Amino acid sequence: MKTIDQLLADGVSGARVFVRADLNVPLDGTTITDDGRIRAVVPTIARLADAGARVIVASHLGRPKGAPDPAFSLAPAAARLGEILGKPVAFATDTVGESARAVVGGLADGQVAVVENLRFNPGETSKDDAERGAFADELAALADVYVGDGFGAVHRKHASVYDLPARLPHAVGDLIATEVGVLKRLTEDVARPYVVVLGGAKVSDKLGVIDNLLGKADRILIGGGMAYTFLKAQGHEVGISLLQEDQVPVVQEYLKRAEEQGVEFVLPVDVLVAPEFPDLRTKAPANPTTVAADAIPADQEGLDIGPETCKLYASKLADAATVFWNGPMGVFEHPDYAEGTRAVARALVDSPAFSVVGGGDSAAAVRTLGFDADAFGHISTGGGASLEYLEGKTLPGLAALED
């Protein structure tokens, strides 16, 4: 892959450089609640702008249905990017239309613009190669050079990620280069003990990575909503907790394989339960009850790992040399169910291990709970991309950046 260093050595002054970033930030209306992904791509954008490039930043946000939707506008992200860069950032109200052409055409050397949400155009996510290619042609007309730096999207075969690099001279941005370097540390000559912590809602989202890590990890710790499918697989009552009944046989097979291969699978020993899901808008007190993981009442829902599990997981992380964590331990957005996620984060901060927080909700959680990002080895910007890399899959966006 050609790097930013090589691109800058060749000279980019006056060139229109299209940066495929990941500005897919969480919004509360028009307020950004976590700007981590914007901050992560700033170094690449700043280096290009400082070298005299005319930088065109593009990204998706959310899942609009291939048409403009004000709820998914990138305008707040563009404004925040300007604040972090400390310089004006122009904003085009469309992606390849009249506004985009005018804004890009008006850029001077060293200036930056953001075009509107790529997914407002159906060609971005189309499964039809011709439709996707036609949109990539329109994007290519805006630029002279392509820089891929949206790690959170590299597992998608989308026009701006997969098709566009084939149409322009291209290079990999600093963020993607860093992310890939970190993931190699999790897959090649890993320092041991290697502990993987998996949480989040659905076990089906993690089956591929569990399958691949059974031969690589020393310990796998399970939390979040997915834990209840594991507990069910062991024959326990899980009440009205989140459950993927159809995945129980698969989970039972994985537990069997883990035992055969000497991989330690660690499940919750206690959980916090309540009769209903908490109100995340008002964050009204939920008054949960702590019960043993094998004694969840039939009318209760598990919403976080319990205090004994927090201690257990901290002890299982204490001697780790490498840790990968993806997915919160509970409904961390509510204060009554945040302690499990906080306990794992604190254990990683206290550990000398090289720790990787695998993007998505996990990355948002550590910042929301007040942890310093620098206290971890790396906080990824791409949860899905990280998982697919660890599954051993070929990521379309990375393949497209190969020379």
Side-chain angles (χ1 to χ4, degrees):
M1 294 181 183
K2 187 173 187 177
T3 66
I4 282 284
D5 289 340
Q6 293 169 310
L7 184 64
L8 294 178
D10 292 342
V12 294
S13 182
R16 299 171 301 163
V17 180
F18 187 104
V19 178
R20 192 357 173 142
D22 180 8
L23 308 181
N24 185 28
V25 292
L27 294 171
D28 181 2
T30 59
T31 301
I32 297 170
T33 57
D34 179 9
D35 66 0
R37 283 177 168 161
I38 300 175
R39 290 184 175 278
V41 76
V42 162
T44 291
I45 294 170
R47 290 183 71 192
L48 291 167
D50 290 346
R54 304 177 183 193
V55 185
I56 306 149
V57 183
S59 175
H60 69 287
L61 192 151
R63 297 180 182 273
K65 305 298 184 181
D69 183 338
F72 298 106
S73 175
L74 278 173
R80 183 63 184 137
L81 176 61
E83 292 172 357
I84 299 171
L85 283 171
K87 62 193 299 181
V89 169
F91 181 67
T93 57
D94 57 29
T95 304
V96 292
E98 183 177 342
S99 178
R101 290 191 295 270
V103 167
V104 171
L107 288 176
D109 294 358
Q111 291 187 333
V112 179
V114 173
V115 296
E116 186 55 283
N117 194 333
L118 290 160
R119 292 185 183 175
F120 285 179
N121 189 303
E124 169 67 1
T125 60
S126 176
K127 297 186 184 305
D128 181 83
D129 291 347
E131 183 179 17
R132 218 174 48 247
F135 182 49
D137 288 339
E138 292 184 276
L139 292 171
L142 295 174
D144 305 305
V145 180
Y146 176 93
V147 171
D149 216 25
F151 181 72
V154 293
H155 59 313
R156 306 295 189 190
K157 192 176 181 180
H158 290 170
S160 66
V161 175
Y162 178 75
D163 302 272
L164 184 55
R167 288 159 167 77
L168 294 170
H170 51 266
V172 61
D174 289 336
L175 173 59
I176 286 184
T178 298
E179 294 272 13
V180 172
V182 165
L183 289 169
K184 285 183 177 179
R185 290 185 64 174
L186 299 178
T187 54
E188 302 172 9
D189 298 321
V190 184
R192 297 185 179 280
Y194 179 18
V195 183
V196 175
V197 185
L198 297 175
K202 295 182 178 180
V203 68
S204 57
D205 293 341
K206 307 292 196 304
L207 288 178
V209 74
I210 294 172
D211 183 46
N212 201 38
L213 288 173
L214 277 177
K216 299 181 176 67
D218 298 300
R219 287 182 209 125
I220 300 178
L221 281 51
I222 301 294
M226 63 184 287
Y228 303 101
T229 301
F230 277 86
L231 293 171
K232 184 72 172 181
Q234 291 187 325
H236 302 310
E237 169 67 56
V238 297
I240 57 172
S241 305
L242 187 64
L243 173 66
Q244 289 187 281
E245 189 84 46
D246 61 322
Q247 301 297 332
V248 168
V250 180
V251 168
Q252 289 172 330
E253 175 63 24
Y254 283 179
L255 290 171
K256 179 182 177 182
R257 281 176 53 198
E259 184 176 2
E260 293 171 348
Q261 296 180 25
V263 177
E264 185 181 5
F265 239 108
V266 188
L267 301 181
V269 295
D270 62 345
V271 296
L272 299 187
V273 300
E276 60 185 7
F277 198 82
D279 188 331
L280 300 183
R281 183 179 55 84
T282 65
K283 293 183 172 55
N287 301 315
T289 302
T290 302
V291 299
D294 60 358
I296 299 174
D299 62 347
Q300 300 282 303
E301 178 177 9
L303 295 161
D304 193 15
I305 58 174
E308 292 305 313
T309 305
C310 290
K311 295 176 187 176
L312 173 64
Y313 284 13
S315 72
K316 296 295 183 180
L317 291 165
D319 68 341
T322 305
V323 180
F324 174 72
W325 173 28
N326 181 281
M329 297 293 98
V331 187
F332 74 92
E333 299 92 340
H334 192 286
D336 287 352
Y337 302 110
E339 189 52 40
T341 302
R342 183 181 286 109
V344 169
R346 188 182 298 115
L348 294 188
V349 169
D350 292 341
S351 168
F354 174 65
S355 57
V356 178
V357 181
D361 286 342
S362 310
V366 297
R367 286 188 281 260
T368 298
L369 295 175
F371 289 92
D372 184 351
D374 293 336
F376 302 89
H378 179 70
I379 296 182
S380 179
T381 57
S386 296
L387 289 174
E388 291 200 15
Y389 189 100
L390 293 179
E391 286 178 39
K393 292 183 176 180
T394 296
L395 306 187
L398 295 184
L401 292 171
E402 296 286 352
D403 293 330

mmCIF file of all heavy atoms in Angstrom, residues 198-233:
data_model
loop_
_atom_site.group_PDB
_atom_site.id
_atom_site.type_symbol
_atom_site.label_atom_id
_atom_site.label_comp_id
_atom_site.label_asym_id
_atom_site.label_seq_id
_atom_site.Cartn_x
_atom_site.Cartn_y
_atom_site.Cartn_z
ATOM 1 N N LEU A 198 -15.572 -10.227 25.074
ATOM 2 C CA LEU A 198 -16.634 -9.978 24.100
ATOM 3 C C LEU A 198 -17.949 -9.701 24.823
ATOM 4 O O LEU A 198 -18.346 -10.436 25.733
ATOM 5 C CB LEU A 198 -16.813 -11.183 23.163
ATOM 6 C CG LEU A 198 -15.616 -11.533 22.268
ATOM 7 C CD1 LEU A 198 -15.902 -12.807 21.496
ATOM 8 C CD2 LEU A 198 -15.291 -10.386 21.320
ATOM 9 N N GLY A 199 -18.618 -8.624 24.403
ATOM 10 C CA GLY A 199 -19.917 -8.283 24.957
ATOM 11 C C GLY A 199 -20.827 -7.799 23.855
ATOM 12 O O GLY A 199 -20.670 -8.166 22.689
ATOM 13 N N GLY A 200 -21.772 -6.941 24.204
ATOM 14 C CA GLY A 200 -22.724 -6.467 23.213
ATOM 15 C C GLY A 200 -23.981 -7.305 23.218
ATOM 16 O O GLY A 200 -24.135 -8.255 23.990
ATOM 17 N N ALA A 201 -24.883 -6.960 22.320
ATOM 18 C CA ALA A 201 -26.221 -7.526 22.370
ATOM 19 C C ALA A 201 -26.328 -8.950 21.818
ATOM 20 O O ALA A 201 -26.868 -9.841 22.475
ATOM 21 C CB ALA A 201 -27.193 -6.612 21.623
ATOM 22 N N LYS A 202 -25.799 -9.169 20.615
ATOM 23 C CA LYS A 202 -26.102 -10.420 19.913
ATOM 24 C C LYS A 202 -24.883 -11.327 19.782
ATOM 25 O O LYS A 202 -23.840 -10.911 19.281
ATOM 26 C CB LYS A 202 -26.655 -10.110 18.519
ATOM 27 C CG LYS A 202 -28.003 -9.395 18.523
ATOM 28 C CD LYS A 202 -28.504 -9.181 17.109
ATOM 29 C CE LYS A 202 -29.868 -8.507 17.089
ATOM 30 N NZ LYS A 202 -30.352 -8.291 15.705
ATOM 31 N N VAL A 203 -25.045 -12.565 20.192
ATOM 32 C CA VAL A 203 -23.972 -13.539 20.032
ATOM 33 C C VAL A 203 -23.701 -13.806 18.553
ATOM 34 O O VAL A 203 -22.566 -14.082 18.159
ATOM 35 C CB VAL A 203 -24.314 -14.844 20.786
ATOM 36 C CG1 VAL A 203 -25.484 -15.570 20.141
ATOM 37 C CG2 VAL A 203 -23.102 -15.737 20.865
ATOM 38 N N SER A 204 -24.739 -13.691 17.711
ATOM 39 C CA SER A 204 -24.557 -13.968 16.280
ATOM 40 C C SER A 204 -23.560 -13.006 15.646
ATOM 41 O O SER A 204 -22.888 -13.358 14.664
ATOM 42 C CB SER A 204 -25.900 -13.891 15.541
ATOM 43 O OG SER A 204 -26.510 -12.626 15.731
ATOM 44 N N ASP A 205 -23.430 -11.783 16.192
ATOM 45 C CA ASP A 205 -22.478 -10.807 15.664
ATOM 46 C C ASP A 205 -21.031 -11.213 15.938
ATOM 47 O O ASP A 205 -20.109 -10.717 15.289
ATOM 48 C CB ASP A 205 -22.721 -9.425 16.285
ATOM 49 C CG ASP A 205 -24.047 -8.817 15.856
ATOM 50 O OD1 ASP A 205 -24.604 -9.266 14.844
ATOM 51 O OD2 ASP A 205 -24.518 -7.897 16.549
ATOM 52 N N LYS A 206 -20.834 -12.107 16.915
ATOM 53 C CA LYS A 206 -19.481 -12.441 17.355
ATOM 54 C C LYS A 206 -19.085 -13.876 17.036
ATOM 55 O O LYS A 206 -17.971 -14.295 17.367
ATOM 56 C CB LYS A 206 -19.365 -12.214 18.872
ATOM 57 C CG LYS A 206 -19.795 -10.830 19.383
ATOM 58 C CD LYS A 206 -18.869 -9.742 18.917
ATOM 59 C CE LYS A 206 -19.025 -8.434 19.687
ATOM 60 N NZ LYS A 206 -20.349 -7.843 19.707
ATOM 61 N N LEU A 207 -19.973 -14.658 16.418
ATOM 62 C CA LEU A 207 -19.684 -16.072 16.204
ATOM 63 C C LEU A 207 -18.436 -16.284 15.359
ATOM 64 O O LEU A 207 -17.614 -17.169 15.640
ATOM 65 C CB LEU A 207 -20.887 -16.769 15.559
ATOM 66 C CG LEU A 207 -22.103 -16.993 16.464
ATOM 67 C CD1 LEU A 207 -23.225 -17.644 15.690
ATOM 68 C CD2 LEU A 207 -21.727 -17.840 17.669
ATOM 69 N N GLY A 208 -18.286 -15.481 14.308
ATOM 70 C CA GLY A 208 -17.130 -15.645 13.427
ATOM 71 C C GLY A 208 -15.828 -15.401 14.148
ATOM 72 O O GLY A 208 -14.860 -16.154 13.980
ATOM 73 N N VAL A 209 -15.784 -14.349 14.959
ATOM 74 C CA VAL A 209 -14.537 -14.031 15.662
ATOM 75 C C VAL A 209 -14.253 -15.066 16.755
ATOM 76 O O VAL A 209 -13.100 -15.439 16.984
ATOM 77 C CB VAL A 209 -14.575 -12.590 16.222
ATOM 78 C CG1 VAL A 209 -15.469 -12.453 17.417
ATOM 79 C CG2 VAL A 209 -13.165 -12.120 16.570
ATOM 80 N N ILE A 210 -15.311 -15.563 17.413
ATOM 81 C CA ILE A 210 -15.103 -16.621 18.407
ATOM 82 C C ILE A 210 -14.535 -17.861 17.732
ATOM 83 O O ILE A 210 -13.579 -18.478 18.208
ATOM 84 C CB ILE A 210 -16.416 -16.957 19.135
ATOM 85 C CG1 ILE A 210 -16.881 -15.765 19.994
ATOM 86 C CG2 ILE A 210 -16.245 -18.197 20.017
ATOM 87 C CD1 ILE A 210 -18.259 -15.942 20.594
ATOM 88 N N ASP A 211 -15.104 -18.229 16.604
ATOM 89 C CA ASP A 211 -14.660 -19.404 15.857
ATOM 90 C C ASP A 211 -13.174 -19.306 15.522
ATOM 91 O O ASP A 211 -12.414 -20.260 15.697
ATOM 92 C CB ASP A 211 -15.493 -19.529 14.580
ATOM 93 C CG ASP A 211 -15.151 -20.779 13.782
ATOM 94 O OD1 ASP A 211 -15.038 -21.856 14.384
ATOM 95 O OD2 ASP A 211 -14.981 -20.674 12.558
ATOM 96 N N ASN A 212 -12.750 -18.131 15.052
ATOM 97 C CA ASN A 212 -11.363 -17.950 14.642
ATOM 98 C C ASN A 212 -10.419 -17.850 15.833
ATOM 99 O O ASN A 212 -9.267 -18.290 15.772
ATOM 100 C CB ASN A 212 -11.217 -16.711 13.762
ATOM 101 C CG ASN A 212 -9.969 -16.731 12.905
ATOM 102 O OD1 ASN A 212 -9.574 -17.777 12.401
ATOM 103 N ND2 ASN A 212 -9.328 -15.588 12.749
ATOM 104 N N LEU A 213 -10.911 -17.280 16.950
ATOM 105 C CA LEU A 213 -10.047 -17.064 18.107
ATOM 106 C C LEU A 213 -9.914 -18.288 19.010
ATOM 107 O O LEU A 213 -9.057 -18.319 19.890
ATOM 108 C CB LEU A 213 -10.549 -15.883 18.926
ATOM 109 C CG LEU A 213 -10.345 -14.501 18.282
ATOM 110 C CD1 LEU A 213 -11.039 -13.427 19.096
ATOM 111 C CD2 LEU A 213 -8.858 -14.179 18.151
ATOM 112 N N LEU A 214 -10.752 -19.296 18.778
ATOM 113 C CA LEU A 214 -10.667 -20.493 19.608
ATOM 114 C C LEU A 214 -9.298 -21.156 19.503
ATOM 115 O O LEU A 214 -8.841 -21.827 20.415
ATOM 116 C CB LEU A 214 -11.774 -21.496 19.233
ATOM 117 C CG LEU A 214 -13.138 -21.235 19.870
ATOM 118 C CD1 LEU A 214 -14.160 -22.232 19.381
ATOM 119 C CD2 LEU A 214 -13.040 -21.281 21.387
ATOM 120 N N GLY A 215 -8.642 -20.965 18.375
ATOM 121 C CA GLY A 215 -7.314 -21.536 18.229
ATOM 122 C C GLY A 215 -6.195 -20.564 18.532
ATOM 123 O O GLY A 215 -5.019 -20.909 18.382
ATOM 124 N N LYS A 216 -6.551 -19.348 18.952
ATOM 125 C CA LYS A 216 -5.535 -18.307 19.154
ATOM 126 C C LYS A 216 -5.532 -17.711 20.559
ATOM 127 O O LYS A 216 -4.482 -17.424 21.117
ATOM 128 C CB LYS A 216 -5.742 -17.184 18.129
ATOM 129 C CG LYS A 216 -5.603 -17.639 16.675
ATOM 130 C CD LYS A 216 -5.807 -16.465 15.724
ATOM 131 C CE LYS A 216 -5.568 -16.881 14.267
ATOM 132 N NZ LYS A 216 -6.567 -17.829 13.773
ATOM 133 N N ALA A 217 -6.715 -17.480 21.133
ATOM 134 C CA ALA A 217 -6.802 -16.841 22.443
ATOM 135 C C ALA A 217 -6.558 -17.853 23.559
ATOM 136 O O ALA A 217 -6.806 -19.052 23.398
ATOM 137 C CB ALA A 217 -8.165 -16.184 22.620
ATOM 138 N N ASP A 218 -6.077 -17.360 24.691
ATOM 139 C CA ASP A 218 -5.918 -18.203 25.872
ATOM 140 C C ASP A 218 -7.168 -18.199 26.742
ATOM 141 O O ASP A 218 -7.501 -19.199 27.366
ATOM 142 C CB ASP A 218 -4.720 -17.715 26.694
ATOM 143 C CG ASP A 218 -3.421 -17.826 25.908
ATOM 144 O OD1 ASP A 218 -3.069 -18.947 25.503
ATOM 145 O OD2 ASP A 218 -2.782 -16.779 25.674
ATOM 146 N N ARG A 219 -7.848 -17.034 26.772
ATOM 147 C CA ARG A 219 -9.081 -16.899 27.542
ATOM 148 C C ARG A 219 -10.062 -16.057 26.757
ATOM 149 O O ARG A 219 -9.675 -15.088 26.095
ATOM 150 C CB ARG A 219 -8.846 -16.186 28.881
ATOM 151 C CG ARG A 219 -8.131 -16.968 29.920
ATOM 152 C CD ARG A 219 -7.998 -16.181 31.230
ATOM 153 N NE ARG A 219 -6.790 -16.631 31.910
ATOM 154 C CZ ARG A 219 -5.810 -15.849 32.306
ATOM 155 N NH1 ARG A 219 -5.873 -14.538 32.126
ATOM 156 N NH2 ARG A 219 -4.751 -16.362 32.904
ATOM 157 N N ILE A 220 -11.341 -16.391 26.876
ATOM 158 C CA ILE A 220 -12.402 -15.582 26.291
ATOM 159 C C ILE A 220 -13.419 -15.295 27.383
ATOM 160 O O ILE A 220 -13.986 -16.225 27.981
ATOM 161 C CB ILE A 220 -13.075 -16.291 25.096
ATOM 162 C CG1 ILE A 220 -12.041 -16.575 24.000
ATOM 163 C CG2 ILE A 220 -14.217 -15.445 24.548
ATOM 164 C CD1 ILE A 220 -12.588 -17.324 22.803
ATOM 165 N N LEU A 221 -13.621 -13.998 27.685
ATOM 166 C CA LEU A 221 -14.578 -13.562 28.702
ATOM 167 C C LEU A 221 -15.828 -13.043 28.004
ATOM 168 O O LEU A 221 -15.728 -12.261 27.059
ATOM 169 C CB LEU A 221 -13.970 -12.443 29.558
ATOM 170 C CG LEU A 221 -12.972 -12.799 30.666
ATOM 171 C CD1 LEU A 221 -11.844 -13.691 30.179
ATOM 172 C CD2 LEU A 221 -12.419 -11.538 31.317
ATOM 173 N N ILE A 222 -16.989 -13.473 28.455
ATOM 174 C CA ILE A 222 -18.249 -13.126 27.800
ATOM 175 C C ILE A 222 -19.124 -12.285 28.719
ATOM 176 O O ILE A 222 -19.303 -12.597 29.902
ATOM 177 C CB ILE A 222 -19.031 -14.394 27.393
ATOM 178 C CG1 ILE A 222 -18.194 -15.268 26.443
ATOM 179 C CG2 ILE A 222 -20.362 -14.020 26.744
ATOM 180 C CD1 ILE A 222 -17.912 -14.658 25.097
ATOM 181 N N GLY A 223 -19.679 -11.195 28.171
ATOM 182 C CA GLY A 223 -20.615 -10.355 28.914
ATOM 183 C C GLY A 223 -21.659 -9.785 27.984
ATOM 184 O O GLY A 223 -21.789 -10.205 26.834
ATOM 185 N N GLY A 224 -22.409 -8.806 28.466
ATOM 186 C CA GLY A 224 -23.424 -8.174 27.631
ATOM 187 C C GLY A 224 -24.611 -9.079 27.374
ATOM 188 O O GLY A 224 -24.745 -10.171 27.956
ATOM 189 N N GLY A 225 -25.475 -8.648 26.447
ATOM 190 C CA GLY A 225 -26.666 -9.423 26.132
ATOM 191 C C GLY A 225 -26.356 -10.802 25.592
ATOM 192 O O GLY A 225 -27.124 -11.747 25.775
ATOM 193 N N MET A 226 -25.201 -10.947 24.918
ATOM 194 C CA MET A 226 -24.849 -12.238 24.341
ATOM 195 C C MET A 226 -24.578 -13.299 25.403
ATOM 196 O O MET A 226 -24.655 -14.501 25.130
ATOM 197 C CB MET A 226 -23.643 -12.092 23.425
ATOM 198 C CG MET A 226 -22.372 -11.640 24.108
ATOM 199 S SD MET A 226 -21.004 -11.390 22.934
ATOM 200 C CE MET A 226 -20.587 -13.070 22.503
ATOM 201 N N ALA A 227 -24.284 -12.875 26.638
ATOM 202 C CA ALA A 227 -23.958 -13.834 27.697
ATOM 203 C C ALA A 227 -25.118 -14.769 28.004
ATOM 204 O O ALA A 227 -24.912 -15.920 28.411
ATOM 205 C CB ALA A 227 -23.550 -13.083 28.965
ATOM 206 N N TYR A 228 -26.346 -14.280 27.788
ATOM 207 C CA TYR A 228 -27.502 -15.074 28.181
ATOM 208 C C TYR A 228 -27.732 -16.259 27.239
ATOM 209 O O TYR A 228 -28.266 -17.287 27.663
ATOM 210 C CB TYR A 228 -28.724 -14.164 28.307
ATOM 211 C CG TYR A 228 -28.427 -13.057 29.300
ATOM 212 C CD1 TYR A 228 -28.086 -11.775 28.865
ATOM 213 C CD2 TYR A 228 -28.362 -13.324 30.663
ATOM 214 C CE1 TYR A 228 -27.721 -10.794 29.762
ATOM 215 C CE2 TYR A 228 -27.991 -12.345 31.573
ATOM 216 C CZ TYR A 228 -27.668 -11.081 31.112
ATOM 217 O OH TYR A 228 -27.283 -10.122 32.009
ATOM 218 N N THR A 229 -27.281 -16.135 26.003
ATOM 219 C CA THR A 229 -27.334 -17.288 25.108
ATOM 220 C C THR A 229 -26.332 -18.342 25.566
ATOM 221 O O THR A 229 -26.606 -19.548 25.502
ATOM 222 C CB THR A 229 -27.050 -16.858 23.661
ATOM 223 O OG1 THR A 229 -28.034 -15.885 23.255
ATOM 224 C CG2 THR A 229 -27.120 -18.046 22.707
ATOM 225 N N PHE A 230 -25.173 -17.902 26.066
ATOM 226 C CA PHE A 230 -24.183 -18.842 26.607
ATOM 227 C C PHE A 230 -24.723 -19.518 27.873
ATOM 228 O O PHE A 230 -24.548 -20.732 28.062
ATOM 229 C CB PHE A 230 -22.880 -18.112 26.906
ATOM 230 C CG PHE A 230 -21.990 -17.935 25.718
ATOM 231 C CD1 PHE A 230 -22.160 -16.845 24.876
ATOM 232 C CD2 PHE A 230 -21.001 -18.855 25.420
ATOM 233 C CE1 PHE A 230 -21.348 -16.675 23.767
ATOM 234 C CE2 PHE A 230 -20.189 -18.697 24.312
ATOM 235 C CZ PHE A 230 -20.359 -17.604 23.481
ATOM 236 N N LEU A 231 -25.344 -18.728 28.751
ATOM 237 C CA LEU A 231 -25.902 -19.309 29.972
ATOM 238 C C LEU A 231 -27.013 -20.307 29.644
ATOM 239 O O LEU A 231 -27.120 -21.370 30.271
ATOM 240 C CB LEU A 231 -26.415 -18.204 30.896
ATOM 241 C CG LEU A 231 -25.334 -17.294 31.493
ATOM 242 C CD1 LEU A 231 -25.970 -16.103 32.209
ATOM 243 C CD2 LEU A 231 -24.426 -18.073 32.450
ATOM 244 N N LYS A 232 -27.819 -19.981 28.657
ATOM 245 C CA LYS A 232 -28.877 -20.894 28.212
ATOM 246 C C LYS A 232 -28.268 -22.180 27.658
ATOM 247 O O LYS A 232 -28.783 -23.284 27.892
ATOM 248 C CB LYS A 232 -29.730 -20.215 27.140
ATOM 249 C CG LYS A 232 -30.921 -21.040 26.676
ATOM 250 C CD LYS A 232 -32.006 -21.114 27.728
ATOM 251 C CE LYS A 232 -33.264 -21.758 27.197
ATOM 252 N NZ LYS A 232 -34.347 -21.815 28.208
ATOM 253 N N ALA A 233 -27.145 -22.028 26.952
ATOM 254 C CA ALA A 233 -26.468 -23.197 26.381
ATOM 255 C C ALA A 233 -25.955 -24.133 27.472
ATOM 256 O O ALA A 233 -25.778 -25.329 27.238
ATOM 257 C CB ALA A 233 -25.312 -22.753 25.490
#
